[in-house]
Amino acid sequence: MSYQLESIYSDFKQYFESYEIFQSKSVNQAENEWSEQWSSFVKQLAGDSQLPSSKSLRILLVAAGYGLAEMKILEMILNEYPTCSLVVDVIEPAEDQLKIFQDKAPELMAKYPNRLEFQWFVETFQGYMKIREDSKCEDKFHFLVCLHGLYYFDNWAEALDQFYHLLVNGGKMATAINSGNSACGRLFKNYREWEGVTASLLTSDDIIGHLTSKAYGHQCFPRTGAVDVSAIFDDKSREGNLILDFLVQRKDFRQNAASSLFNKVMDFVKQNSKEEGGKVLMEDDEVDILVTKR
């Protein structure tokens, strides 16, 4: 039976509140591991795209949000290729989030004078592609980054194909996604069957399966993590309810879900979490996936 609960994305204000609380409860995120992985991605850029060190790199950032990780990645590239300039297209449909990114960009531009050029698009990726089509733009990119952005696409597989098409030969695209093997990823996969919908419930298994079917060369780099879900067991906790909403990507899940569906989710969380240091932790591993266009 399909209950067709309201998507968490139907209310952007509540979604961002839910997202920020969920992020604040994330623990054991190995920052050094993340930095090492992305540094290795950056080192591969010039060789595979045969980019002379004196030229510029064209970069596309999709669903860039506040730009926190994206700024770190840009700085890695600037440091790795000191004679390169970067031309960066930034896509983010949430104007408030993009504004925060825009406000931070001048600091990086001042640190690396005359080496950074930004173009900002308050658009969905589909809107951005329409702008390119209308202006007959055929520019290709050396590097495309979409961190946890594929959940938002109505047709993520089509988006991945479009990403690939936008790359120069030898160019790379990188995405981060929930691991299908972690507890949070397994909840996504189970929930798809329980409610009978798939929207936004994406894991690394889906991405890797599509890339393999298309014969797109790719590498996978898992990273460990967890989230503190203690608050979801307090039915009067707004924080807990928002964490629960984020876990299943549905708005007001506790209030609106059928009791059978709600119980399945709560039972899964109980069976796939553990108490540690006064917290109830649920595995929330991620996978970075790097694709090279051949």
Side-chain angles (χ1 to χ4, degrees), residues 207-236:
I207 305 302
I208 293 166
H210 181 74
L211 296 175
T212 301
S213 74
K214 292 286 186 173
Y216 295 159
H218 61 279
Q219 301 167 271
C220 298
F221 303 85
R223 282 183 288 109
T224 58
V227 61
D228 177 9
V229 296
S230 308
I232 73 170
F233 299 105
D234 177 0
D235 59 7
K236 294 183 172 56

Side-chain angles (χ1 to χ4, degrees), residues 140 144 158-169 171 173 211 214-217 291-294:
K140 301 284 188 177
L144 185 153
E158 180 182 73
L160 272 177
D161 293 340
Q162 290 176 310
F163 291 174
Y164 193 83
H165 176 72
L166 286 171
L167 296 174
V168 300
N169 288 335
M173 63 176 175
L211 296 175
K214 292 286 186 173
Y216 295 159
V291 179
T292 302
K293 184 174 182 179
R294 300 299 187 190

Side-chain angles (χ1 to χ4, degrees), residues 1-240:
M1 177 179 180
S2 176
Y3 298 101
Q4 296 296 303
L5 296 174
E6 191 173 1
S7 167
I8 195 172
Y9 304 114
S10 64
D11 183 335
F12 277 119
K13 182 178 179 181
Q14 187 165 320
Y15 163 71
F16 286 124
E17 184 183 2
S18 176
Y19 168 78
E20 288 170 3
I21 290 173
F22 191 88
Q23 286 296 103
S24 74
K25 296 297 181 180
S26 294
V27 295
N28 299 332
Q29 297 295 339
E31 180 65 24
N32 289 340
E33 187 180 6
W34 183 90
S35 296
E36 288 171 5
Q37 285 182 2
W38 281 89
S39 179
S40 73
F41 297 169
V42 166
K43 289 179 188 296
Q44 296 181 50
L45 283 178
D48 284 343
S49 60
Q50 299 180 342
L51 179 78
S53 59
S54 60
K55 291 188 177 180
S56 64
L57 279 166
R58 288 192 54 82
I59 298 172
L60 179 60
L61 306 178
V62 180
Y66 303 123
L68 300 179
E70 286 79 2
M71 292 277 277
K72 293 177 183 178
I73 293 166
L74 292 177
E75 187 157 18
M76 286 179 184
I77 296 171
L78 289 163
N79 287 328
E80 184 67 27
Y81 305 105
T83 61
C84 268
S85 60
L86 309 185
V87 179
V88 186
D89 282 9
V90 184
I91 307 170
E92 171 52 53
E95 189 171 1
D96 291 348
Q97 290 204 20
L98 189 64
K99 179 66 165 55
I100 292 172
F101 194 163
Q102 287 177 297
D103 289 345
K104 292 178 179 176
E107 182 179 342
L108 193 62
M109 295 172 75
K111 188 174 179 179
Y112 301 90
N114 303 315
R115 295 184 58 201
L116 264 174
E117 177 186 336
F118 287 98
Q119 295 188 81
W120 306 95
F121 298 87
V122 186
E123 293 285 349
T124 61
F125 177 70
Q126 291 85 353
Y128 172 79
M129 293 298 287
K130 181 68 164 56
I131 291 171
R132 283 177 58 93
E133 180 184 347
D134 291 345
S135 62
K136 296 181 170 55
C137 177
E138 297 183 358
D139 292 339
K140 301 284 188 177
F141 296 92
H142 299 95
F143 196 29
L144 185 153
V145 178
C146 181
L147 305 179
H148 293 287
L150 288 169
Y151 309 106
Y152 309 131
F153 286 83
D154 292 333
N155 189 333
W156 59 266
E158 180 182 73
L160 272 177
D161 293 340
Q162 290 176 310
F163 291 174
Y164 193 83
H165 176 72
L166 286 171
L167 296 174
V168 300
N169 288 335
K172 296 185 180 295
M173 63 176 175
T175 188
I177 196 82
N178 278 359
S179 168
N181 294 324
S182 72
C184 285
R186 295 197 310 276
L187 176 58
F188 269 22
K189 291 189 288 187
N190 278 299
Y191 189 88
R192 293 194 299 207
E193 295 182 9
W194 294 337
E195 194 189 337
V197 295
T198 60
S200 308
L201 299 165
L202 197 61
T203 76
S204 60
D205 293 357
D206 303 299
I207 305 302
I208 293 166
H210 181 74
L211 296 175
T212 301
S213 74
K214 292 286 186 173
Y216 295 159
H218 61 279
Q219 301 167 271
C220 298
F221 303 85
R223 282 183 288 109
T224 58
V227 61
D228 177 9
V229 296
S230 308
I232 73 170
F233 299 105
D234 177 0
D235 59 7
K236 294 183 172 56
S237 168
R238 174 169 175 77
E239 182 179 82

